[in-house]
């Protein structure tokens, strides 16, 4: 499931501005933190004017219901390819953790063509989603949509 954003939200990485294009989810998580997998992971995909990509990843653990997700979840399409309009805007701010520390590494997109050169910023602090929210997403998905864990190889992971 993907939420598309109108222009106007951006982050700055390495002195370059990356605009938020879309937000989507994976269940279970694609990134593991210290060996731990999470039931849900959000990817906030940003692109620079040059077409370079920066993805901010947020992990969800089971806990209190996530109000930020509520907007998107109530409009979740039940069929592949279906498009819906959100009744109110979903601020990326609402699903980011209060602590903005992150891990950083260079990687690729996790879906074909798995384009290289993507700047990954993985938030260290998970946020919560309720059991119902996590199950709702998994039900609509029918099957896991996470790319299997990839070897770190020679990539440095910065904290
Ligand atoms: Zn993704």
């Amino acid at each position: 499931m993907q939420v598309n954003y109108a222009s106007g939200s951006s982050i700055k990485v390495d002195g370059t501005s990356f605009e938020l294009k879309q937000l989507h989810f994976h269940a279970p998580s694609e990134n593991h933190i210290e060996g731990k997998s999470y039931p849900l992971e959000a990817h906030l995909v940003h692109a620079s004017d040059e077409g370079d990509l920066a993805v901010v990843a947020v992990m969800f653990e089971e806990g209190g219901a996530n109000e930020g997700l509520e907007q998107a979840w109530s409009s979740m399409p039940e069929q592949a390819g279906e498009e819906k309009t959100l009744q109110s805007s979903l601020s990326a701010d609402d699903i980011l953790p209060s602590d903005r520390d992150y891990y950083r590494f260079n990687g690729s997109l996790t879906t074909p063509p798995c384009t290289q050169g993507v700047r990954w910023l993985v938030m260290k602090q998970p946020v919560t989603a309720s059991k119902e929210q996590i199950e709702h997403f998994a039900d609509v998905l029918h099957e896991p949509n996470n790319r299997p864990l990839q070897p770190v190889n020679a990539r440095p992971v910065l904290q």
Side-chain angles (χ1 to χ4, degrees), residues 42-147:
H43 287 163
L44 289 79
V45 181
H46 301 72
S48 72
D49 286 344
E50 288 73 38
D52 291 326
L53 297 172
V55 181
V56 175
V58 182
M59 303 297 159
F60 292 79
E61 60 185 3
E62 194 180 305
N66 189 300
E67 288 182 30
L69 287 188
E70 214 43 61
Q71 301 291 342
W73 258 227
S74 61
S75 303
M76 197 183 300
E78 301 290 330
Q79 305 293 329
E82 194 180 343
E83 288 194 19
K84 291 195 176 182
T85 304
L86 293 182
Q87 297 307 309
S88 57
S89 61
L90 168 58
S91 170
D93 223 27
D94 289 343
I95 66 159
L96 287 168
S98 53
D99 183 340
R100 301 287 165 87
D101 280 354
Y102 56 84
Y103 297 101
R104 165 129 193 228
F105 59 93
N106 289 325
S108 61
L109 290 182
T110 63
T111 50
C114 300
T115 310
Q116 297 278 339
V118 178
R119 292 165 172 84
W120 280 90
L121 308 161
V122 177
M123 305 309 291
K124 290 184 178 181
Q125 185 185 60
V127 296
T128 65
S130 68
K131 189 169 191 288
E132 291 70 27
Q133 287 177 320
I134 291 168
E135 282 175 353
H136 183 184
F137 184 70
D139 283 351
V140 167
L141 218 55
H142 299 304
E143 56 192 48
N145 71 340
N146 62 318
R147 185 191 190 192

